[in-house]
Structures are given as C-alpha cells and as structure tokens.
Amino acid sequence: MTKESLKNAILIPVYNHGRACMGVVDSIAPFCNENNVKIILVDDGNGAETKECLAQIVQKHENLVSLVTLEKNMGKGLAFKAGIERAFELGFTHVLQLDADGQHDMGRCGFFFEKSREMPDALICGYPEYDETAPEHRKGAHKFANLWCAIVTWKKGIVDSLCGFRIYPVETVHRFFQRHSTDSRMGFDIEILIRLIWKKVPFVFYPVKVTYPVDGISNFRAFRDNVRISWVFTKMCIGMIFLSPVFAFRLVFDKKNS
C-alpha cells in the first residue's frame, strides 16, 4: 500500500446521540470536504428522534455521508463491524473511529490521518488528555484497563486501551472480522486492540483532548458494562496462557534481531 493509494473515511457509530452527532458532523465537514474524506454513520437501532437527526445530517451532507442502518441496537462493536463492511465495500483503506457524543477534539483528525499516511499498516491510537470535566472514576478505569492490556499482550507502550479515537487499516480489520468476533458493546475497544496486537499489527499512540459535557448522554451502564469488560479480560487472560509460548519466542527473536 502506497501513500498515494490511501482512501480515508471517518466512522461514527451512533446510539442516542443524534443531536450531538449533528454537531460533530458539522464540525468535521469542512475538513472532510477539503481532504476528500468521507463519513460513515452507523444507526445502531436508534429511536425516532435520533433517526430524524441522522436523516437531517444525510440531507445536509448528502455528498459526504454514507448511512448504515441496523434494525435493532447491536452495540458499539457490531455497529463498528457494520461500518467496516461499508468502508470495505466502498474501497476505503483507513477509517478513523470517532465517537458521536463530541467528547473528542476533532481538530486532531488531520494529524492522525497524516500519521496514518506515514504508517499505513499501523493502528493509530488516541490517548485522552483530560480537562477538569473528566470524572475521577473514568481516569481510574482507564489505568486499570491499560495495566491488564500490558499483561495480556506482553507489550509496553499501551498508553490507553479504552479511547475510541483510532485509525484502523480497513483490509486488516475486515479480514480479522471474517475469522473472529469481539465483544459487541463496551468491551469492544479493549478486545480488538488486544487481538490485533496479538496478530502483530503495529500500533502507536498520540494524545487527543477529551471533554465530558455536564449534560452529556452516556451509553455506559455501570453494572452491565463492567461485567462485560471483566469478561473480556478473563477471555484475554485465558488466550494469553495458550499464546505465551508464541510471545516468549517473539521476545527472544526480537531481542536477537535488535
């Protein structure tokens, strides 16, 4: 893959963030038009109000937006997979996953796509730069998840495993989904990162500012989603045990060739 052959899109799964998503798309539309970047919205089984917001987005940005509609709510993981299918069908080489709630600094899109051009085979991952609006329990959850990701991958340098601001190589991820499944909801960002690292997909991290609006709508359900995330780490720990001989061989091989 050459830098000249790259074709980029921004992938936004949407559930209950219709009005926030309108603001997100309006904010990134000038950048997308200037840089020939398209937007893939995934309607993850939304109600009438959010569907109306998405319809308005499509009408306003009809030459920019491709809408994927799921009949019922499937969760972020399966919404992302549906978006990857659309990106693959349309011939995109890379997608930047962006949350619909507007928490991320969308001014970083250009920087991340530039890094993707420099490293087209890599995951270009964001890690949050928090402001004063960030809840302490969110910061603690990220630290906990990052520690376990380092353990189950035998890798240093995993700065954040929960931030949804990432660029994925479409062909790599599409091929992954042909053979594997991941958690369909809040464990998705963690599990796909771990599994792609297991497959030796290179990764780098860069900062992105994150803001938590006081009146923001969160799809996180504390009991349900913490249980799911715990189950993801349990699965990954079991997988690590079986893969540990492979990891040990890689460490020795990399040391000899360093």
Side-chain angles (χ1 to χ4, degrees):
M1 185 184 301
T2 65
K3 295 180 182 180
E4 292 74 19
S5 66
L6 302 188
K7 186 179 178 183
N8 297 319
I10 295 175
L11 170 56
I12 309 177
V14 185
Y15 184 62
N16 290 340
H17 288 122
R19 296 205 173 276
C21 188
M22 294 174 75
V24 169
V25 174
D26 284 345
S27 295
I28 61 176
F31 166 82
C32 292
N33 285 318
E34 183 178 342
N35 294 276
N36 194 29
V37 175
K38 301 301 182 183
I39 300 171
I40 299 173
L41 299 179
V42 182
D43 173 1
D44 188 14
N46 284 284
E49 182 179 348
T50 300
K51 285 186 181 297
E52 175 59 28
C53 291
L54 294 176
Q56 291 180 34
I57 293 172
V58 172
Q59 183 178 22
K60 183 177 181 179
H61 303 282
E62 59 181 343
N63 295 323
L64 191 61
V65 173
S66 176
L67 178 64
V68 180
T69 302
L70 303 181
E71 294 302 318
K72 62 179 181 178
N73 178 244
M74 303 297 290
K76 183 178 183 180
L78 291 178
F80 175 87
K81 181 179 179 181
I84 286 290
E85 289 287 346
R86 176 64 57 86
F88 185 78
E89 291 170 3
L90 296 176
F92 291 108
T93 60
H94 293 79
V95 296
L96 168 60
Q97 176 187 309
L98 188 65
D99 288 353
D101 56 10
Q103 290 183 359
H104 297 131
D105 175 11
M106 290 161 283
R108 294 290 277 172
C109 293
F111 174 85
F112 272 65
F113 278 123
E114 178 57 36
K115 292 303 177 183
S116 182
R117 282 191 288 272
E118 295 174 7
M119 297 169 282
D121 297 324
L123 292 173
I124 313 297
C125 306
Y127 69 85
E129 284 189 330
Y130 297 111
D131 64 10
E132 66 281 357
T133 65
E136 288 301 320
H137 71 272
R138 289 288 185 97
K139 297 179 183 179
H142 280 245
K143 291 179 181 178
F144 175 81
N146 299 340
L147 172 62
W148 276 104
C149 280
I151 291 171
V152 300
T153 59
W154 293 28
K155 288 286 186 180
K156 298 178 180 179
I158 300 178
V159 185
D160 192 273
S161 59
L162 287 168
C163 183
F165 196 95
R166 285 182 197 154
I167 292 184
Y168 293 87
V170 171
E171 185 175 353
T172 297
V173 180
H174 183 265
R175 186 168 58 248
F176 168 84
F177 279 131
Q178 303 309 300
R179 302 181 180 180
H180 306 282
S181 61
T182 63
D183 184 78
S184 63
R185 296 189 182 273
M186 290 299 181
F188 165 74
D189 289 319
I190 298 169
E191 185 168 355
I192 194 168
L193 176 65
I194 292 171
R195 288 189 179 276
L196 291 176
I197 290 174
W198 282 356
K199 291 184 173 297
K200 301 189 71 175
V201 176
F203 63 93
V204 292
F205 281 85
Y206 296 100
V208 58
K209 292 181 180 178
V210 176
T211 301
Y212 291 87
V214 175
D215 58 349
I217 298 172
S218 175
N219 291 324
F220 188 84
R221 300 294 177 263
F223 178 78
R224 179 197 70 184
D225 292 322
N226 280 320
V227 168
R228 295 186 74 98
I229 290 171
S230 297
W231 171 237
V232 166
F233 279 122
T234 300
K235 290 192 300 180
M236 298 299 95
C237 285
I238 294 171
M240 177 199 66
I241 293 170
F242 286 101
L243 290 171
S244 56
V246 176
F247 296 162
F249 173 81
R250 288 177 183 175
L251 286 175
V252 173
F253 181 81
D254 291 343
K255 187 175 182 180
K256 285 183 178 180
N257 288 275
S258 61

